[in-house]
Structure formats: C-alpha cells, structure tokens
Amino acid sequence: MTATDRSIELVNAAAQAAADRLAHDIIAYDVSDVLSITDAFLLASAPNDRQVKSIVDEIEERLNKELGAKPVRREGDRDARWILLDYVDIVVHVQHSEERVFYALERLWKDCPELTLPEDAQKTRGKAAEHHQGAAADPDGELS
C-alpha cells in the first residue's frame, strides 16, 4: 500500500507552508505500509519556540484554506518544543531543533520511502546545521 493522492496533496501543501515560514530540514515519509493509522509523516524544525508556533499556524491555515482540511488533534502547544498536527491522512511534526536532534525521528522511519516534496521544502535540508554553525561562530547573534 502507498500513500493516497489526498495524503500526498496534504503533505505537499504542509511542506510548502513550512518552507514559507523558514522551517529547517523538511522531510516526509510514506508510513502507510507500517502504520494503519496514517499514510505519511511530515517532519520540520525551527531554532526557537516562536518560530515552531508560526510554522504550525501557517500549516493549519494553509491546509484549511486551500484544501478544507482541519486537524483532528493538535498537541504540544504549551511548550512549543514539539507540536503535532494529526490530519488522520498525515501527521505533521514540527519540532524545536534540539528536540529534533534528541528524538531523531528520521532514524525511526528511515526504512520507509521518502516522499518527494516541493522544491522550496527540499532546499531546507541542512538549514538547521547551517543555523547552528552560524550561531556558534557568532555567539552575540550578529550577522557578518
């Protein structure tokens, strides 16, 4: 079994919304062969809690406006370190960069097929590492 067309449509819209809000390392997996509860997982991260919330808000707004989809469940708002949006067909995980490294969901799902995402989302690969290196090089947070 593979992800449905509807699931892929939701994943692509969510990935584009996340990229538009400058999410890092956006990736999606087709988990339909190993899970019966959903077709796909979308993972994205951000370097701070405020940006995590912004990404999640944009995904929710975009999927509702463009595709008429609303999450059946939203978890993790309080701390904004890891917010999960459950759309039944897909589950979106937006994590703070530190949680992303610690929990390493990619390792859990690496055997599942990766879904092709919009170009803007693909360009986010490695952005967390770039951001981390830039912050380490300039602890005052100033750009050179």
Side-chain angles (χ1 to χ4, degrees):
M1 184 150 87
T2 60
T4 65
D5 290 343
R6 174 67 172 171
S7 298
I8 292 170
E9 181 180 38
L10 290 167
V11 162
N12 285 329
Q16 185 61 54
D20 290 348
R21 288 289 181 205
L22 307 178
H24 296 165
D25 300 313
I26 302 168
I27 191 166
Y29 294 101
D30 180 340
V31 297
S32 61
D33 282 341
V34 293
L35 292 177
S36 61
I37 57 170
T38 192
D39 282 349
F41 279 167
L42 178 72
L43 311 175
S45 55
N48 61 62
D49 303 351
R50 200 163 110 198
Q51 191 173 357
V52 167
K53 282 186 176 184
S54 175
I55 293 165
V56 168
D57 290 346
E58 183 66 19
I59 291 170
E60 264 194 298
E61 184 177 325
R62 185 94 47 102
L63 267 57
N64 186 23
K65 189 177 190 177
E66 293 178 4
L67 302 173
K70 292 182 181 181
V72 296
R73 187 174 56 155
R74 179 176 170 153
E75 295 183 8
D77 275 332
R78 197 175 85 216
D79 295 330
R81 301 287 292 182
W82 181 349
I83 298 177
L84 178 144
L85 296 172
D86 182 351
Y87 286 90
V88 180
D89 294 326
I90 70 167
V91 176
V92 178
H93 299 267
V94 182
Q95 298 174 297
H96 187 286
S97 298
E98 292 169 359
E99 266 65 16
R100 179 87 178 256
V101 170
F102 183 79
Y103 290 102
L105 294 178
E106 288 90 341
R107 278 189 292 148
L108 293 173
W109 305 108
K110 69 180 181 207
D111 293 333
C112 294
E114 195 174 318
L115 294 171
T116 303
L117 297 175
E119 187 177 336
D120 290 342
Q122 291 179 27
K123 289 179 183 176
T124 66
R125 299 286 176 87
K127 292 291 184 186
E130 288 176 23
H131 178 79
H132 182 68
Q133 288 173 347
D138 188 2
D140 295 329
E142 295 179 16
L143 299 174
S144 44

